[in-house]
Amino acid sequence: MVTALGDDWDPPAVLRSEQEAYRLLYSDLDAEQERTYAVLVDAGVPPPRDADRAASR
């Protein structure tokens, strides 16, 4: 499987890209969306947006 990924596969870059995608996906939520997001995070569905938010819960 690793061979199929190729020599230019960069796991840290993939992780950073995924984190940025989550940040963008959950940015600019209105109040109702924020409440829904909080319920989902508490249920373990998506990861918390950042350590500060997770710590404040």
Side-chain angles (χ1 to χ4, degrees):
M1 184 171 102
V2 175
T3 302
L5 293 172
D7 292 334
D8 60 342
W9 183 58
D10 184 359
V14 171
L15 180 59
R16 285 189 303 272
S17 295
E18 184 175 313
Q19 290 168 335
E20 178 64 10
Y22 271 111
R23 187 189 68 74
L24 290 172
L25 180 62
Y26 297 113
S27 64
D28 297 324
L29 301 178
D30 64 29
E32 182 178 351
Q33 291 168 328
E34 285 284 348
R35 286 189 298 274
T36 301
Y37 179 80
V39 169
L40 293 172
V41 169
D42 289 343
V45 177
R49 281 186 274 196
D50 57 38
D52 294 333
R53 182 176 174 93
S56 71
R57 299 182 124 323

